[in-house]
Amino acid sequence: MTKGYLTTHVLDTARGLPAGGMRIELYRLSDGRRDLLCRMVTNADGRTDEQVLPADRFAVGTYELVFHAGEYLDAIGAAPETPRFLDVIPIRFGMSGADSHYHVPLLLSPYGYSTYRGS
């Protein structure tokens, strides 16, 4: 049995605060398919209340986290623009270690973002 798992969090770097209330989806990509595994919303700390992909569902493979940044920016009252410069942010990544913790955070501002493999 694998012990790997996936977590995320979102920080609003423009405000210097966690990005609470952001909708996130996780997809697994395999054989030309994109299968939705779960939907979550970040809490007040910018994290999900549960692991995005817990050990009992973890599998080595290619995944995509989709962050609904435009909805979040609208909800916090960021200056409106049509269309938003950043709206839906997909981050595609691979997980190759069956016993590893993968942490894929998003650092967000209205006009830029970054990610990395965290711990």
Side-chain angles (χ1 to χ4, degrees):
M1 180 173 175
T2 64
K3 297 180 204 167
Y5 61 101
L6 171 65
T7 57
T8 190
H9 75 273
V10 184
L11 297 175
D12 182 332
T13 58
R15 298 188 319 149
L17 296 170
M22 184 179 296
R23 186 166 56 103
I24 301 170
E25 298 163 343
L26 176 67
Y27 294 87
R28 180 175 169 104
L29 293 91
S30 180
D31 300 323
R33 292 191 345 248
R34 185 174 178 256
D35 297 316
L36 177 65
L37 299 181
C38 68
R39 289 187 173 104
M40 303 183 135
V41 175
T42 57
N43 59 26
D45 195 34
R47 299 178 184 277
T48 57
D49 289 332
E50 301 172 1
Q51 295 171 350
V52 178
L53 191 61
D56 64 345
R57 297 184 59 210
F58 186 90
V60 168
T62 302
Y63 292 84
E64 187 174 86
L65 277 168
V66 177
F67 297 87
H68 292 267
E71 292 173 2
Y72 165 78
L73 293 167
D74 289 343
I76 64 161
E81 53 182 356
T82 304
R84 277 222 174 267
F85 180 70
L86 293 176
D87 186 16
V88 177
I89 301 172
I91 299 176
R92 189 170 290 182
F93 57 96
M95 297 191 294
S96 59
D99 294 327
S100 296
H101 172 200
Y102 288 85
H103 183 69
V104 182
L106 180 70
L107 306 177
L108 174 70
S109 76
Y111 300 102
Y113 69 90
S114 65
T115 191
Y116 55 93
R117 181 177 174 186
S119 58

